[in-house]
Amino acid sequence: MRKLFIAGNWKMNKTATEAAQLVSALVKKVEGLSDKVTMAVCPPFTSLDRIAPLLKGTGVDLGAQNLSDKASGAYTGETSAAMLLDLGVKYVIIGHSERRQYYAETDELVSKKAKFALGAGLLPIVCIGETLKEREANKTSHVITTQLKGSLAGLNAEEMHKVTIAYEPVWAIGTGKTASPDQAQEVHALIRKLLTDAFGKAVADKVIVQYGGSVKADNAKELMAKPDIDGALVGGASLDAEGFSALIKNSIS
Ligand code: PGA
């Protein structure tokens, strides 16, 4: 039985002051739930340092939304794994579709970042997902297979134990259109099969595969009821304590 993992991806939202307010409210509402569900919030870099102490001992972990594929040096605007670790960051989202779409991140770069994050001691949340055009052209399986293989290239079974996969159909992100539980399960089952082929059943059975794309308090439960959906990567609905805590509670009810 895999323990559900629900992470909030705040994207480019909340100042550090607002982030501290949100986290203070959230941790009260989810107190005591960490035995049943793994929880994390992934604020912008500018809030990490402010909220890390507020999360200590609460059962809610800290994640970042990106990292550099370089260790240090003359890379203006980049953030290294060591910098994140120093602030108490545990998870890092890699290859979100917005990074792929707006910042030209490729599967190759995603795999480099994942390898790098693991080497440094961070736990990657690797995102994959098809666009609407790809789904309508019946290319979903092909796209998922290509992205998964490319994004995990070079990782061994031991490393894979530490990786979370987030399946996020691009057409469902921020659109209010969620994949139906059956549509999502179909892709999650494919991901599980691809992981089994690549890393063996023992590893594939343990890997958490989150669903992401317009997950809300009122649709979380039916998605989480599917056998291969092990949690959620939540954007919009993670931006208020009331809604996000309700989503987490409904997921485990
Ligand atoms: P959404 O975003 O929940 O706002 O659709 C999910 C994500 O992009 O991680």
Side-chain angles (χ1 to χ4, degrees):
M1 190 60 188
R2 292 175 291 268
K3 188 177 176 186
L4 289 183
F5 175 22
I6 299 185
N9 171 15
W10 294 1
K11 308 192 180 184
M12 197 173 70
N13 292 294
K14 308 284 178 191
T15 62
T17 306
E18 291 165 344
Q21 285 162 355
L22 170 51
V23 158
S24 302
L26 178 69
V27 294
K28 283 192 205 124
K29 291 184 188 289
V30 299
E31 203 183 326
L33 299 183
S34 62
D35 286 346
K36 293 194 188 128
V37 55
T38 305
M39 299 173 281
V41 288
C42 307
F45 292 139
T46 48
S47 298
L48 291 168
D49 197 28
R50 185 84 67 94
I51 68 172
L54 304 176
L55 292 176
K56 275 229 169 79
T58 65
V60 180
D61 289 317
L62 189 58
Q65 298 174 19
N66 186 21
L67 87 165
S68 172
D69 64 326
K70 310 282 195 304
S72 65
Y75 302 103
T76 302
E78 291 293 290
T79 305
S80 76
M83 293 167 186
L84 297 178
L85 281 166
D86 183 58
L87 297 181
V89 170
K90 181 170 178 182
Y91 297 97
V92 60
I93 299 171
I94 302 179
H96 189 278
S97 66
E98 288 149 16
R99 303 283 329 159
R100 293 174 182 264
Q101 193 180 345
Y102 306 130
Y103 303 96
E105 291 202 2
T106 60
D107 290 335
E108 198 188 342
L109 181 64
V110 172
S111 75
K112 253 178 105 179
K113 288 187 174 186
K115 188 97 189 160
F116 200 84
L118 286 162
L122 290 164
L123 304 178
I125 301 174
V126 173
C127 304
I128 56 172
E130 82 287 0
T131 62
L132 184 60
K133 209 166 148 205
E134 289 162 342
R135 175 162 281 264
E136 285 175 349
N138 282 325
K139 288 190 181 148
T140 302
S141 303
H142 174 74
V143 170
I144 294 302
T145 304
T146 308
Q147 285 189 357
L148 192 78
K149 284 188 179 165
S151 301
L152 303 177
L155 301 193
N156 59 38
E158 199 189 314
E159 289 170 319
M160 195 58 216
H161 273 296
K162 299 177 187 151
V163 177
T164 296
I165 303 292
Y167 165 57
E168 301 204 298
V170 177
W171 49 272
I173 294 177
T175 58
K177 272 192 225 162
T178 328
S180 71
D182 286 339
Q183 274 175 326
Q185 166 59 26
E186 198 183 341
V187 178
H188 281 240
L190 168 65
I191 292 169
R192 191 87 56 203
K193 183 187 173 304
L194 293 166
L195 292 173
T196 305
D197 294 347
F199 300 99
K201 188 169 175 349
V203 176
D205 281 349
K206 288 209 177 106
V207 173
I208 298 295
V209 186
Q210 296 174 323
Y211 169 78
S214 299
V215 181
K216 305 263 182 303
D218 58 7
N219 61 18
K221 190 181 163 103
E222 50 175 6
L223 285 159
M224 298 310 128
K226 291 294 174 186
D228 289 295
I229 302 182
D230 313 317
L233 185 56
V234 184
S238 70
L239 292 173
D240 79 278
E242 187 67 44
F244 193 40
S245 59
L247 186 161
I248 292 170
K249 286 176 190 160
N250 289 351
S251 297
I252 54 175
S253 66

